[in-house]
Amino acid sequence: MGWLDRWLKRGLPAESGKISDASVLEAISHIVQLVDPRIALCPGYAARLEPAVRSALSHCIDMEARIPPAIQAGATAWGSDSQLSAFFATEADLLRTCSRSAELLRHFEDNPLAGTAFGALSALVSERQVTGPAIINGLLRQDVLQTTVNFSDHRLMIIAEDEARLRRAVSKRAFEELANIALARGEIESSARQQLDDDRALLLARRQMLERRGTGLGPGSDGALQDVEAEIEKNNREIQRIGSGANALERQLERLVDVLTHASNLISFEFCTMRLSNTNHLVVGESVERVSNVQFALVTSQRIGEPVSRAVLVIEVPRQFARSQKPDLDGARKLLL
């Protein structure tokens, strides 16, 4: 049984303060394999990773406890559940997301007797300003500036047979996302180092050309050589700051330790409640429309650049929702004509 199987079968405790040494060692081995197995060649790598891995595991287990309760995505769920109505414009959109989930289809293929499955439904959240009717100081106005919330890019990628295993699968995926963050940072550093190496080769060739001409033989040649020397020195400082390829494994290990140590800053779970109208207007105060409290977990991951936040619901999906949709041949024919 692998480490991930033990995680899904509750190889880790329900409380973050009760993580065994054996679980930490298995987690170290797993994340090293994900990032770069050669990290194991660094002296004392396991001891250096142990505090950071233990901290990251604690964070992932705490996140698991904050996932909202599962909701049923049955035949009439879209019309009766405010969360699903807010996430999807129509019931057909919900069905399309489920039927396009390769993970959901695979789960039902592997479990022919299962009638339902639990999945982590996620979507990007965006807001835009629009004008529309609203009640201000008890009076109805038609041109009030309002905020519309939109859920898009729906994904149903994490699937499990019950809610408890689904929660553990989400926390496992969060731990693996830390490996992806470390890899992304390493790729940027490697790209920067390669660019510096290419620049250095051009600068050395430029300096060699100027030296062959000889200084003082042409207007500005002394100054040009000095400028190249200054650029070479600047290039050397940048290479020294990033680190050479010779210590790449040490840099990877240090980077992984840093990412795991700051796991709570890089992946966060926030329980959100929005008061939304039936047209997904964010409501403050009174409204001329029906208002519902839409609750979800907001998961934010920060790989490179701006952080990406996705709203997450846990849904129980019936088998009939996982049927592969037939291709829309009529629609495709219209596009060609």
Side-chain angles (χ1 to χ4, degrees):
M1 182 185 295
W3 177 73
L4 299 184
D5 298 319
R6 278 189 285 273
W7 188 316
L8 292 177
K9 295 181 181 296
R10 184 44 75 203
L12 290 175
E15 293 84 20
S16 59
K18 298 180 180 179
I19 303 174
S20 69
D21 292 341
S23 296
V24 173
L25 289 176
E26 290 184 20
I28 290 173
S29 176
H30 179 65
I31 202 163
V32 165
Q33 289 295 317
L34 288 177
V35 175
D36 189 340
R38 296 175 302 168
I39 289 177
L41 299 175
C42 296
Y45 80 98
R48 294 159 67 181
L49 279 169
E50 190 271 336
V53 166
R54 189 178 294 275
S55 174
L57 289 177
S58 296
H59 175 61
C60 292
I61 293 172
D62 289 340
M63 286 170 51
E64 177 182 326
R66 294 197 297 271
I67 299 174
I71 58 178
Q72 290 187 341
T76 61
W78 179 82
S80 59
D81 188 275
S82 59
Q83 274 96 323
L84 293 177
S85 298
F87 266 57
F88 296 97
T90 66
E91 184 178 19
D93 294 330
L94 168 60
L95 293 172
R96 189 178 302 111
T97 296
C98 294
S99 63
R100 290 179 176 176
S101 171
E103 290 79 5
L104 183 64
L105 295 173
R106 189 181 307 114
H107 176 84
F108 281 122
E109 289 177 359
D110 295 340
N111 300 273
L113 299 180
T116 63
F118 287 77
L121 170 68
S122 72
L124 290 175
V125 189
S126 60
E127 298 181 1
R128 64 186 180 94
Q129 299 295 314
V130 297
T131 56
I135 298 176
I136 305 296
N137 296 326
L139 299 176
L140 177 63
R141 292 179 50 183
Q142 298 295 328
D143 57 349
V144 179
L145 188 64
Q146 301 178 51
T147 299
T148 296
V149 180
N150 183 54
F151 298 91
S152 61
D153 187 31
H154 300 86
R155 300 178 185 177
L156 188 61
M157 300 177 64
I158 307 176
I159 308 296
E161 60 188 271
D162 57 44
E163 185 175 353
R165 286 180 173 83
L166 190 280
R167 290 172 177 272
R168 293 194 286 275
V170 170
S171 65
K172 173 186 74 70
R173 184 67 61 88
F175 185 76
E176 292 181 332
E177 174 65 11
L178 294 170
N180 292 330
I181 293 173
L183 284 169
R185 291 185 175 185
E187 289 173 359
I188 287 182
E189 183 179 292
S190 178
S191 177
R193 186 187 299 110
Q194 183 61 53
Q195 184 62 54
L196 287 170
D197 289 341
D198 293 344
D199 292 344
R200 178 178 174 79
L202 292 174
L203 289 169
L204 292 176
R206 174 67 173 165
R207 182 177 68 179
Q208 187 178 40
M209 182 186 67
L210 290 171
E211 289 174 340
R212 284 177 178 175
R213 289 182 179 178
T215 58
L217 297 181
S221 60
D222 290 342
L225 183 58
Q226 291 175 359
D227 290 343
V228 171
E229 293 286 2
E231 287 296 320
I232 291 175
E233 180 60 29
K234 179 181 177 182
N235 180 275
N236 288 336
R237 290 196 300 269
E238 284 297 305
I239 291 178
Q240 185 175 9
R241 182 183 64 82
I242 292 180
S244 66
N247 62 356
L249 285 180
E250 277 292 328
R251 292 285 299 161
Q252 278 189 316
L253 176 56
E254 293 171 1
R255 189 184 308 113
L256 182 56
V257 169
D258 181 68
V259 167
L260 293 169
T261 300
H262 298 92
S264 59
N265 296 328
L266 298 173
I267 303 179
S268 63
F269 254 54
E270 178 185 358
F271 189 78
C272 293
T273 300
M274 288 185 172
R275 294 187 69 232
L276 298 179
S277 69
N278 53 7
T279 53
N280 273 24
H281 288 150
L282 191 62
V283 177
V284 178
E286 299 180 83
S287 174
V288 296
E289 301 178 272
R290 180 174 60 87
V291 178
S292 301
N293 288 325
V294 176
Q295 298 179 328
F296 54 86
L298 188 66
V299 184
T300 302
S301 175
Q302 188 164 354
R303 289 193 187 181
I304 301 298
E306 293 295 322
V308 176
S309 297
R310 297 186 68 87
V312 175
L313 293 177
V314 175
I315 61 174
E316 184 178 3
V317 187
R319 175 178 287 272
Q320 58 266 31
F321 276 28
R323 294 172 182 168
S324 299
Q325 292 186 336
K326 297 180 179 179
D328 186 3
L329 298 179
D330 291 336
R333 191 177 297 110
K334 290 177 182 180
L335 292 175
L336 295 174
L337 296 178

